[in-house]
Amino acid sequence: MPAAARELLLETEWDALRHAYGSAADVPVSLCSLVDEDPEGRSAALAALDTAVLHQGSLYTVTAPAALFVAAILDHPMGLAAHEGHVPWDDGPPRRLRAALLAWLGQVAESAAHGEDPARDRTHWLWEPWQGEMRREPGPDELAALQACRDARPALYDAVEPFLTAAEPDVREAALGAAMPLLSAPELADRVPRAAALLRAGPGAAQARRERAGVARALGMWGADTSDLLSDSDPAVRVCAALGPTHADRPRALAVLLDALRDPRTTDGWFPEPLPGLDGWFRFTVLRSALALAESFEEVAPVAVGIVATGGGAVTDFERGPILLRAFPGGHDPARPLTSAQRDLLRAFVDGDEATGGIGGNGLWFRAAGLPVDREGIAALL
């Protein structure tokens, strides 16, 4: 056991901490089992991290010290050993322990970053405008857990960085997935240039599409200039380079995103397994980024109206709802006439089949945009 890991085990008052199911007094045993020679013991320990220490993305007072322990054992020789899934949702092929630990650290970092940058949160494909109204005030333990995880980010990143250039592709991908939310922290902005240099010094065109696209997305998320990647030969790399919240070449980046949205089936097929930090169909992320990058709805209106006209009830909250809110960012003002783009959009809703995502299926989004929530009310505006 590395010295830093032993020190954490001995100096942390585990029984004074909490996880999802109560006292964290049992956590040291699980942490030690992460490097057990028995693969079933390692799998059970990983399951404890997922189900108790970071339960459904929630942070607890034990999460930060457990994450620091995991960071301290990343270079343990057992890290290259394979393990199988222990919980029903982890039913993929066996993977290296090191990749699994890095992926878990990435989940901790994502939870710690939530709410830190509201503008960034709004580009997430699951964001909804009424989330803030439904969120209760966190208690003292939750606030302490959140702050402890944020305070741990420099140490976590220092442990993750060496694996950005690991020999194993799955380890590199997991390390990048952890580094992305970690380096989005304001206090780690000074680490971005070095991380960007490490990624750009990689194998380049020899890398597979997935890895090159992941690197482009990371650089964009960190605010690095990805203008050169907007002309990459691979459309998936070009799109990932355009996903950043800000962009030095905004018009070209927006054009890349809109091109991808014109052929959503192809876009979704680029990554059958979602990139680290992304879930859902890839086009949802592309759309949110395009809406955020556009300076006005008119810039995205032709593609956006086409998406609404296509229908499909299963994607109400992930496509048509965000489009509607972007068209009426400050809410509909009855005293102001509708623009041509707004009229085209609302007409697409009125003409749409109600059973496949018409106005009724988007009521919460219409209300958030200050609009009537029924077909008759919208038709009256037109």
Side-chain angles (χ1 to χ4, degrees):
M1 190 74 69
R6 287 201 307 271
E7 184 177 335
L8 276 165
L9 282 175
L10 296 174
E11 295 186 0
T12 302
E13 296 183 25
W14 300 99
D15 56 355
L17 304 175
R18 307 283 293 180
H19 56 52
Y21 303 108
S23 170
D26 57 340
V27 168
V29 173
S30 294
L31 294 178
C32 290
S33 297
L34 288 170
V35 291
D36 197 305
E37 293 185 0
D38 175 17
E40 291 187 3
R42 295 195 300 273
S43 294
L46 282 169
L49 291 181
D50 283 334
T51 59
V53 178
L54 186 70
H55 180 67
Q56 297 182 353
S58 296
L59 302 174
Y60 303 91
T61 51
V62 76
T63 308
L68 289 169
F69 178 91
V70 168
I73 63 168
L74 284 177
D75 59 355
H76 191 284
M78 194 59 68
L80 294 177
H83 75 282
E84 295 184 356
H86 189 80
V87 289
W89 57 86
D90 188 14
D91 58 354
R95 56 177 176 164
R96 292 179 181 85
L97 173 68
R98 184 168 294 148
L101 294 178
L102 285 163
W104 184 79
L105 288 177
Q107 293 166 9
V108 172
E110 287 176 4
S111 293
H114 185 70
E116 194 170 36
D117 184 347
R120 183 179 64 212
D121 289 344
R122 284 195 293 271
T123 64
H124 192 279
W125 70 280
L126 285 175
W127 179 84
E128 297 168 328
W130 51 86
Q131 285 177 347
E133 302 172 5
M134 302 171 60
R135 189 177 297 118
R136 63 178 179 80
E137 287 296 319
D141 282 354
E142 293 171 295
L143 290 172
L146 175 61
Q147 190 58 53
C149 287
R150 289 180 176 176
D151 291 343
R153 290 185 293 198
L156 297 183
Y157 178 73
D158 287 344
V160 166
E161 187 187 75
F163 299 101
L164 291 174
T165 54
E168 305 81 17
D170 61 329
V171 173
R172 289 199 304 272
E173 177 173 301
L176 183 59
M180 279 192 284
L182 286 170
L183 288 189
S184 296
E187 69 272 18
L188 293 182
D190 62 329
R191 315 281 185 94
V192 168
R194 172 179 164 83
L198 288 173
L199 296 181
R200 284 188 175 275
Q207 293 171 296
R209 157 183 279 179
R210 181 179 180 86
E211 185 164 5
R212 295 177 60 236
V215 167
R217 175 173 170 256
L219 295 174
M221 280 187 62
W222 297 335
D225 185 6
T226 57
S227 298
D228 60 312
L229 297 175
L230 294 175
S231 57
D232 193 273
S233 60
D234 190 322
V237 175
R238 294 198 298 269
V239 168
C240 285
L243 291 178
T246 59
H247 214 285
D249 193 347
R250 190 196 67 82
R252 193 154 62 106
L254 181 59
V256 167
L257 296 176
L258 293 177
D259 281 345
L261 292 171
R262 291 186 179 95
D263 187 8
R265 182 168 297 183
T266 297
T267 299
D268 283 337
W270 288 337
F271 308 110
E273 180 71 19
L275 293 174
L278 294 179
D279 292 305
W281 293 109
F282 185 54
R283 70 179 186 274
F284 298 159
T285 294
V286 176
L287 174 62
R288 294 285 183 127
S289 296
L291 296 176
L293 202 56
E295 293 182 346
S296 68
F297 180 65
E298 281 68 20
E299 284 191 303
V300 297
V303 171
V305 172
I307 291 173
V308 171
T310 300
V315 293
T316 293
D317 289 334
F318 311 135
E319 290 185 310
R320 287 183 301 282
I323 287 171
L324 185 68
L325 201 66
R326 183 64 186 86
F328 297 89
H332 169 56
D333 182 358
R336 299 180 62 182
L338 296 175
T339 67
S340 176
Q342 289 172 334
R343 286 183 179 278
D344 290 344
L345 178 65
L346 294 182
R347 190 170 290 110
F349 276 105
V350 170
D351 294 343
D353 180 359
E354 197 68 23
T356 58
I359 296 169
N362 294 264
L364 289 174
W365 289 95
F366 272 86
R367 187 175 292 112
L371 290 162
V373 297
D374 56 80
R375 185 184 297 265
E376 292 74 19
I378 295 299
L381 295 177
L382 299 174

